[in-house]
Amino acid sequence: MKKIKLGKPAYIALFALASCAAFFLLLKSAARIVPNSDFANQMLEGWAMLRGNFFLKGWSLPVDNFFTLDNLFYYAGIYLSGFNPGLLHVIPTIVAFLIIVTGFLFLIPEGGLKKTGILPVTAGLSLIFSLLILRPYSTPLMFNFLTGPFHNTSLLYSFVSL
């Protein structure tokens, strides 16, 4: 049996295809979660920041609101697409997707795939995929992962800093 050898462009294309599929699966799950006023808080704060109130003067903010972390994504989303209720689903999906991608990048060894082979990376990616993407949307993990005010950006920034 002849072994199929894939080049670097093929791996990049496969990663891009899997990434698109993962993003749209997450977005489909996020769209099933009904937003409430707590979810809208970050979006309203991002809108106020975009209109010049960057430090949210006059707002009553809780001690742990993470407005410098979470709201920057809403600020960018509102800047790019306008004040749109769909952002309540899209922004948490983008953050969740970036967490999954950075988690996947941790799986690639320092010497590249040639050093350890594709099997450990595939096993790790399968675990990430099954735990975070294929979970039913009604579970608490998926609910917290795909909604805005649960500060997933803190986890994302922690991953990126490593």
Side-chain angles (χ1 to χ4, degrees):
M1 182 175 200
K2 190 174 182 178
K3 189 175 182 181
I4 298 173
K5 186 174 181 180
L6 296 175
K8 194 172 188 176
Y11 282 118
I12 292 172
L14 284 173
F15 180 74
L17 183 64
S19 296
C20 288
F23 179 79
F24 286 109
L25 279 171
L26 286 170
L27 188 58
K28 184 177 179 181
S29 294
R32 294 178 178 171
I33 298 171
V34 179
N36 61 32
S37 61
D38 289 339
F39 301 170
N41 188 44
Q42 267 74 26
M43 194 163 119
L44 291 171
E45 289 175 2
W47 181 69
M49 292 167 70
L50 184 65
R51 298 183 65 95
N53 191 3
F54 192 75
F55 295 106
L56 301 175
K57 183 179 178 186
W59 284 66
S60 295
L61 300 173
V63 177
D64 64 343
N65 75 345
F66 298 91
F67 82 93
T68 58
L69 302 175
D70 293 337
N71 293 358
L72 296 179
F73 281 91
Y74 286 95
Y75 178 91
I78 293 169
Y79 178 78
L80 294 173
S81 70
F83 194 79
N84 178 344
L87 290 175
L88 293 174
H89 298 297
V90 173
I91 299 297
T93 301
I94 290 171
V95 172
F97 175 73
L98 291 174
I99 290 170
I100 291 169
V101 169
T102 53
F104 171 71
L105 293 176
F106 284 137
L107 297 172
I108 299 175
E110 199 170 303
L113 294 177
K114 291 180 182 178
K115 186 174 183 179
T116 60
I118 193 79
L119 186 62
V121 175
T122 305
L125 183 59
S126 299
L127 180 66
I128 290 173
F129 192 78
S130 63
L131 288 176
L132 298 178
I133 297 173
L134 294 180
R135 300 273 303 181
Y137 68 91
S138 61
T139 63
L141 173 67
M142 187 56 75
F143 181 81
N144 290 342
F145 197 53
L146 291 175
T147 54
F150 289 105
H151 313 303
N152 294 327
T153 54
S154 302
L155 177 61
L156 175 63
Y157 290 138
S158 298
F159 275 10
V160 170
S161 70
L162 296 175

